[in-house]
């Protein structure tokens, strides 16, 4: 119910979109980075208590690997922030937005499950597929077989997708029939 008031303010619509995006992005990125930091803390404190193959896997994950995971989560958080912003622009109410987000959660699970399928390895094709690329990169980092050229391809592709989605939100926000539909 505050959108009309915001649109009456002498603020460019681009600034409104960017401000709303930055709020969503900050919350998502903070959550993701806290998860990576807590994983690093747990591996540091309790990593030496594991034995066998699990111990080898835990020892293979170092601070540079966690930093790479954190960097990959930056554009991923931006993708989710842009999608949620688009839903919030389109939805007329909280209930309608919640109804749109539920199927979105199911769609998010599919690319992550694809990364877990046997035989799916990180290559140039998969490095361009959002969410699957980050999941496969995390799998490769844990296995210790990461091709670091793929890391840059993942960062570039997810950053491009996040930028395109943010531009789409900006375009979406300029459409009056979307903002003021009944």
């Amino acid at each position: 119910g505050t959108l009309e008031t915001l649109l009456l303010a002498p603020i460019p619509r681009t600034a409104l979109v960017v401000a709303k995006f930055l709020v969503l992005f900050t919350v998502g990125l903070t959550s993701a980075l806290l998860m990576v930091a807590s994983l690093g803390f747990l591996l540091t404190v309790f990593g030496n208590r594991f034995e066998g193959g699990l111990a080898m896997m835990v020892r293979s994950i170092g601070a540079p690997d966690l930093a790479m995971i954190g960097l990959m989560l930056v554009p991923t958080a931006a993708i989710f922030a842009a999608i949620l912003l688009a839903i919030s622009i389109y939805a007329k109410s909280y209930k309608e937005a919640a109804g749109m987000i539920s199927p979105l959660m199911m769609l998010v699970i599919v690319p992550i499950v694809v990364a877990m399928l046997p035989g799916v390895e990180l290559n140039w094709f998969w490095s361009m597929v959002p969410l699957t690329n980050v999941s496969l990169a995390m799998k490769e980092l844990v296995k210790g077989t990461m091709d670091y050229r793929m890391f840059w391809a993942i960062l570039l592709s997810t950053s491009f997708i996040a930028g395109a989605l943010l531009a789409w939100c900006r375009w979406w926000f300029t459409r009056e029939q979307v903002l003021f539909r009944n």
Side-chain angles (χ1 to χ4, degrees), residues 4-80:
E4 291 82 6
T5 306
L6 285 173
L7 291 174
L8 289 174
I11 302 169
R13 287 192 179 177
T14 301
L16 288 173
V17 170
V18 170
K20 287 176 167 287
F21 170 80
L22 286 176
V23 168
L24 291 167
F25 174 70
T26 303
V27 170
L29 185 62
T30 302
S31 171
L33 293 179
L34 283 173
M35 183 271 308
V36 172
S38 66
L39 176 65
F41 175 76
L42 289 173
L43 290 176
T44 302
V45 172
F46 299 108
N48 57 358
R49 296 185 183 184
F50 297 110
E51 295 178 10
L54 185 59
M56 205 165 55
M57 183 184 73
V58 167
R59 282 189 218 109
S60 73
I61 302 171
D65 297 327
L66 292 174
M68 288 175 63
I69 290 171
L71 277 175
M72 286 187 290
L73 291 176
V74 172
T76 304
I79 287 172
F80 282 109

Side-chain angles (χ1 to χ4, degrees), residues 142-157:
V142 168
K143 289 185 340 188
T145 59
M146 180 69 181
D147 180 1
Y148 294 100
R149 294 173 299 163
M150 298 291 170
F151 171 73
W152 297 109
I154 291 167
L155 277 182
L156 288 173
S157 68

Side-chain angles (χ1 to χ4, degrees), residues 105-181:
M105 284 191 259
M106 297 308 266
L107 288 174
V108 166
I109 291 171
V110 171
I112 295 170
V113 169
V114 167
M116 290 186 248
L117 293 174
V120 178
E121 298 291 327
L122 185 60
N123 57 31
W124 291 108
F125 171 76
W126 288 114
S127 70
M128 303 298 162
V129 178
L131 300 179
T132 304
N133 56 6
V134 175
S135 299
L136 285 170
M138 288 181 188
K139 185 169 88 171
E140 296 292 322
L141 284 170
V142 168
K143 289 185 340 188
T145 59
M146 180 69 181
D147 180 1
Y148 294 100
R149 294 173 299 163
M150 298 291 170
F151 171 73
W152 297 109
I154 291 167
L155 277 182
L156 288 173
S157 68
T158 52
S159 297
F160 175 78
I161 291 167
L165 285 170
L166 183 58
W168 179 64
C169 284
R170 166 62 180 102
W171 173 80
W172 194 251
F173 201 72
T174 60
R175 300 188 59 199
E176 306 245 345
Q177 64 266 32
V178 172
L179 295 175
F180 299 112
R181 61 192 178 97

